[in-house]
Amino acid sequence: MDSVVIVGSGPSAVHFALSVLQKGYRVTMLDVGYSKPPAVNPGDNFVALKENLADPVRYFLGERFEGVVLPNPEKEFYGIPPSKDYVLRHPGGFTFDARGFAPFFSFAQGGIAEAWTGGCYPFNAAEITDFPFDYAELERAYAEVAARIGVIGAPDDLARFFPLHENLLEPLELDVHSALLMSEYEKRKAWLNRRLRCYFGRTRIATLSRDLGARKKCSYLGRCLWGCPTDSFYTPSITLRECLAFPHFTYQPGLRVTHFEFDGAQRVISIVAEPAAGGAPQAFSADRFALAAGALNSTKIYLESIFRSTGERVALGGLMDNRQILMPFVNLRMIGKPCNPESYQYHQLGMGIESDDPRGYVHGQITTLKTAMLHPIAANLPCDLRTAAFLVHNMHAALGIVNVNLHDTRRQGNFVSLAEETGAKDSRLIINYAPENGEVHRLRAAISTVRRALLHLGCIVPPGMLHVRPMGASVHYAGTLPMSRAKGRHTTSETCQSHEFPNLFIVDGATFPFLPAKNITFSLMANAVRVASRAF
Amino acid sequence: MMPADAARLRRECEVFCRYLIGRAPGAYILEKYCEAHERSAEYSSPAAFDRVLLSFASRGPSFARLADSYACLFARYSSLRRKLILLFSILESASAQHGFSDAVDGSGQPVLFVKIVFRGVLFALRLALACVLFLPLRLVLGGSPPAARRGH
Ligand SMILES: Cc1cc2nc3c(=O)[nH]c(=O)nc-3n(C[C@H](O)[C@H](O)[C@H](O)COP(=O)(O)OP(=O)(O)OC[C@H]3O[C@@H](n4cnc5c(N)ncnc54)[C@H](O)[C@@H]3O)c2cc1C
Ligand code: SF4
């Protein structure tokens, strides 16, 4: 039985692992693996939770009140809630410097997608023209992942941007605000489609509208943001549990991989990991190795390995991420309406803006606010807090936010490298990013179109509330070790096999040669499944 | 925490609670407000103007509202503003019995719009008065520093 060592337990890693386990490989998964606390009061909905917990403030705001969002110059409205703090915890010894980029790193069991919002948008054929394989391969993998995790969606106007694939589940019930937006869209869609080239529809989300195995369908508890207590909402730790049922699978948490060692023929011999709590490094050998530690962490391991073996400090260009714009809005027709917290939390609607170049598509996710904390919004209103409290409570049901995503391309100036320091046990990661010339025009055009489209649906974007997020905030990292038909240095094959190290596979976003304006994770999982089926 | 500090925080919480929700805080809210001050340094400020604004606001709910009308636009990072936002977040995280009630104004949209405009006018008047009071003071004492980056 051939053996594989996989680094990481995020969405890329667990779907790759499950596929190779099903093919009979012996798999060892190395992970730092901070794990989530047990779910509290699993049967309670959002309101009952506040009533029944002995100390609800501690649950919602955290032990150190870190969930309080004080006014900040970055105007971020929401962070990761305290119940998911573990997702962004860093082990000792890991350091980085970033310029023009605000990166997130996860060392959690399940990766950063333990705190994701579940958006699953397949790329289309036009968007993968730089990828060295056919769309049909990816389509099969999308269907496989959808069957594993459960993805809801509908064959509506947005299918022109994200293709339909097999195994889609029917959507959840819309909350009142989202339903109103959709009915307004139906009335005005001729104008919106023709004049703004703007389309609305249901998002694709990794949530269950039907029971799937032991997982129960969504019961509208409204707790998605703090962690779905019933696993209706998908997170990668669910797939990790499936992997653990295989007798030839070993999961080794508590280990931070620093580098791999290779021989004169460039074959990787072992992967070296340090106990996250301190202690002597351990080496793990296998026939093949897969880096799936998230694009930035995999790149770090790759660079560190070359540096430790040859003394060369390589800089890998082409880092990508989606620029995101947060556009809060008020739906005038919903003002004064009661808010129903017993509904699905995250975005249920999406919008797409077509462009002459299909790769220039602009993507938006529309979240209507139901149970999210109101103090970050109240604090940003230009009035005293008592007046703000009156406004946000009466407008709660009318509030929404569009998260607009723009595409990104590989540019050599956006690189990841290691710091030139002496004496450090483990090198500091350096990240350098600058937006492309002309980004500001794309931003302005997208903002103007979204604003006009919302206005047509009866919604206004209050002045001063719009926020262009820093690069790095979307956590859709890609591009540093791209798949390429040509065997260039530090590139990978169509099966994500390193052109440098023949028994090394890189199965996360690092290998993507282009980043459409779509949340990447569904494609990460599908690509990992595709690689396992083609190369293993 | 010194007993004198605890007593001051409890008084402050009581005033701010009356300002925000029109009633005195229960024991749970008081406890959480004090605990937040113990666990985080975010809510204190060495700036002289901040201290003046805070002690003015602590005199009573109407004083708090006047000071906040100024702070919401011209002292957004002041300790007064941070304390009020902290209390807001505590009230919205607690059950309806302790914190905000989630009920909306039931008078219908047209009346609600009139109420919003009326509150807007009142706010503008309070702001004008607050500017007369606090702008000269701020010029003399200086402003409050922007808060450090928070959240993720
Ligand atoms: C708030 C939020 C919402 C999001 N919503 C969406 C969404 O709706 N749709 C979407 O598509 N994407 C979303 N994302 C992005 C998504 O979470 C990431 O794209 C995805 O998690 C990346 O998966 P990955 O497996 O490549 O890496 P990661 O999730 O980063 O996982 C990395 C794994 O590797 C392990 N690891 C890292 N370094 C080492 C090391 N040195 N040694 C050992 N183990 C290591 C970690 O412990 C972890 O298990 C969201 C992200 C955030 C923060
Ligand atoms: S509403 Fe959210 S938290 Fe509740 S069951 Fe559905 S997915 Fe889970």
Side-chain angles (χ1 to χ4, degrees):
Chain A
M1 192 190 279
D2 271 1
S3 57
V4 191
V5 166
I6 301 173
V7 183
S9 69
S12 309
V14 291
H15 285 278
F16 179 73
L18 186 58
S19 293
V20 291
L21 283 166
Q22 285 166 345
K23 289 190 150 204
Y25 281 81
R26 196 171 66 241
V27 173
T28 304
M29 181 176 276
L30 308 178
D31 190 17
V32 177
Y34 297 128
S35 58
K36 73 171 153 212
V40 299
N41 298 21
D44 281 355
N45 66 20
F46 177 73
V47 175
L49 202 57
K50 281 190 189 177
E51 303 291 338
N52 296 341
L53 283 177
D55 190 353
V57 170
R58 186 180 187 151
Y59 180 73
F60 288 111
L61 297 181
E63 209 165 311
R64 291 166 290 106
F65 294 81
E66 62 275 19
V68 182
V69 183
L70 293 173
N72 58 83
E74 288 88 356
K75 277 205 210 156
E76 286 288 343
F77 293 106
Y78 293 106
I80 305 274
S83 54
K84 292 181 184 167
D85 257 358
Y86 73 99
V87 172
L88 295 180
R89 189 173 151 204
H90 289 186
F94 172 77
T95 53
F96 69 92
D97 267 338
R99 211 176 322 142
F101 207 79
F104 288 80
F105 297 93
S106 176
F107 296 90
Q109 202 173 96
I112 207 156
E114 290 297 307
W116 76 328
T117 58
C120 285
Y121 309 101
F123 294 177
N124 58 36
E127 288 163 339
I128 66 154
T129 46
D130 287 351
F131 292 64
F133 54 81
D134 290 337
Y135 189 72
E137 267 187 60
L138 203 53
E139 194 180 4
R140 280 194 295 278
Y142 283 136
E144 167 70 24
V145 175
R148 287 180 185 177
I149 72 177
V151 177
I152 58 171
D156 58 20
D157 286 2
L158 291 183
R160 66 194 291 123
F161 303 120
F162 18 99
L164 294 165
H165 50 76
E166 282 174 39
N167 302 325
L168 265 186
L169 302 175
E170 59 280 11
L172 293 177
E173 263 171 48
L174 280 182
D175 59 273
V176 178
H177 187 178
S178 298
L180 176 67
L181 285 171
M182 265 327 273
S183 77
E184 290 302 313
Y185 170 67
E186 290 303 332
K187 286 184 216 154
R188 292 167 172 78
K189 87 184 206 180
W191 189 90
L192 286 162
N193 295 169
R194 188 168 32 86
R195 290 291 294 277
L196 299 182
R197 300 176 76 182
C198 184
Y199 298 79
F200 284 71
R202 304 297 300 253
T203 40
R204 308 272 174 85
I205 319 165
T207 302
L208 298 182
S209 54
R210 268 190 252 161
D211 293 354
L212 180 68
R215 291 168 60 205
K216 295 280 169 239
K217 69 176 182 184
C218 170
S219 50
Y220 303 97
L221 291 174
R223 290 172 56 177
C224 327
L225 185 60
W226 288 275
C228 175
T230 56
D231 280 349
S232 316
F233 182 79
Y234 175 79
T235 60
S237 52
I238 293 170
T239 307
L240 178 61
R241 280 206 301 269
E242 276 178 62
C243 293
L244 286 165
F246 285 78
H248 43 287
F249 178 69
T250 311
Y251 177 59
Q252 299 241 4
L255 293 172
R256 184 166 76 89
V257 170
T258 50
H259 64 291
F260 54 80
E261 294 171 322
F262 50 92
D263 62 16
Q266 300 278 103
R267 286 191 66 80
V268 177
I269 315 160
S270 64
I271 274 198
V272 182
E274 289 174 355
Q282 299 168 37
F284 295 83
S285 43
D287 301 306
R288 303 200 210 183
F289 299 84
L291 298 183
L296 288 175
N297 271 322
S298 290
T299 306
K300 160 87 166 62
I301 295 167
Y302 185 92
L303 293 171
E304 188 79 42
S305 309
I306 295 174
F307 174 63
R308 292 202 187 196
S309 180
T310 67
E312 185 189 1
R313 279 201 179 86
V314 175
L316 294 176
L319 175 65
M320 298 181 281
D321 186 33
N322 294 123
R323 172 74 83 185
Q324 290 189 330
I325 312 158
L326 299 181
M327 297 183 66
F329 65 86
V330 180
N331 190 331
L332 299 176
R333 289 185 189 82
M334 288 294 293
I335 291 177
K337 298 257 160 57
C339 188
N340 177 12
E342 286 178 45
S343 42
Y344 180 75
Q345 274 273 297
Y346 294 132
H347 45 84
Q348 291 228 62
L349 301 183
M351 65 188 291
I353 305 169
E354 200 172 43
S355 128
D356 288 340
D357 172 2
R359 297 176 10 140
Y361 162 70
V362 173
H363 176 68
Q365 299 185 125
I366 304 170
T367 306
T368 52
L369 299 195
K370 276 94 56 179
T371 59
M373 290 276 169
L374 292 176
H375 74 269
I377 298 174
N380 274 292
L381 292 179
C383 58
D384 64 84
L385 272 185
R386 172 101 191 220
T387 307
F390 176 81
L391 290 176
V392 291
H393 281 119
N394 284 293
M395 290 189 183
H396 193 169
L399 297 176
I401 193 157
V402 188
N403 186 352
V404 183
N405 286 252
L406 304 183
H407 75 273
D408 200 8
T409 53
R410 296 189 69 246
R411 296 182 299 284
Q412 283 310 313
N414 295 337
F415 63 84
V416 181
S417 63
L418 301 178
E420 298 208 6
E421 290 166 332
T422 45
K425 210 167 133 222
D426 196 32
S427 311
R428 176 186 297 268
L429 186 67
I430 302 291
I431 301 166
N432 206 67
Y433 188 97
E436 71 174 336
N437 292 336
E439 192 209 33
V440 72
H441 300 296
R442 283 205 286 142
L443 280 170
R444 276 202 200 121
I447 290 169
S448 155
T449 307
V450 174
R451 212 191 278 274
R452 288 174 71 195
L454 286 172
L455 198 60
H456 256 76
L457 302 184
C459 308
I460 50 163
V461 177
M465 301 286 279
L466 182 147
H467 173 47
V468 178
R469 303 186 81 192
M471 288 309 294
S474 85
V475 206
H476 303 152
Y477 306 148
T480 47
L481 290 157
M483 279 181 256
S484 143
R485 286 181 184 95
K487 272 191 160 188
R489 271 208 89 187
H490 309 305
T491 58
T492 49
S493 74
E494 78 276 15
T495 55
C496 298
Q497 183 175 13
S498 166
H499 282 138
E500 227 79 20
F501 306 100
N503 61 341
L504 178 71
F505 291 77
I506 293 135
V507 285
D508 54 32
T511 60
F512 282 32
F514 171 67
L515 187 62
K518 285 177 184 166
N519 312 53
I520 193 176
T521 312
F522 191 44
S523 298
L524 293 178
M525 298 189 263
N527 188 53
V529 167
R530 186 191 67 83
V531 169
S533 88
R534 275 276 303 268
F536 284 74
Chain B
M1 192 185 290
M2 305 293 283
D5 287 341
R8 183 183 46 77
L9 281 178
R10 294 171 80 85
R11 246 191 340 269
E12 195 177 277
C13 180
E14 182 149 350
V15 169
F16 292 170
C17 219
R18 285 187 192 281
Y19 158 48
L20 285 181
I21 56 172
R23 57 190 155 92
Y28 177 65
I29 301 291
L30 280 168
E31 180 196 320
K32 288 281 126 185
Y33 187 78
C34 295
E35 194 181 307
H37 283 79
E38 255 171 61
R39 302 220 167 146
S40 166
E42 297 269 13
Y43 307 104
S44 61
S45 162
F49 178 71
D50 269 18
R51 286 206 305 271
V52 171
L53 201 63
L54 186 61
S55 72
F56 179 88
S58 308
R59 297 167 75 96
S62 317
F63 291 87
R65 194 159 198 186
L66 199 59
D68 187 27
S69 300
Y70 175 85
C72 68
L73 293 181
F74 303 117
R76 298 191 60 224
Y77 305 114
S78 60
S79 55
L80 168 66
R81 201 59 194 162
R82 280 180 263 160
K83 281 167 184 268
L84 288 173
I85 292 164
L86 165 71
L87 184 58
F88 193 118
S89 68
I90 292 174
L91 290 168
E92 71 167 330
S93 305
S95 65
Q97 181 207 338
H98 293 292
F100 287 115
S101 116
D102 287 332
V104 293
D105 188 298
S107 46
Q109 269 206 352
V111 179
L112 182 61
F113 280 121
V114 172
K115 284 186 182 173
I116 290 173
V117 172
F118 183 64
R119 280 173 186 254
V121 172
L122 284 183
F123 168 69
L125 292 174
R126 267 195 310 274
L127 178 65
L129 177 60
C131 284
V132 172
L133 276 174
F134 295 116
L135 271 179
L137 260 181
R138 182 163 191 169
L139 286 177
V140 175
L141 298 172
S144 47
R149 185 180 177 208
R150 286 191 41 82
H152 303 287

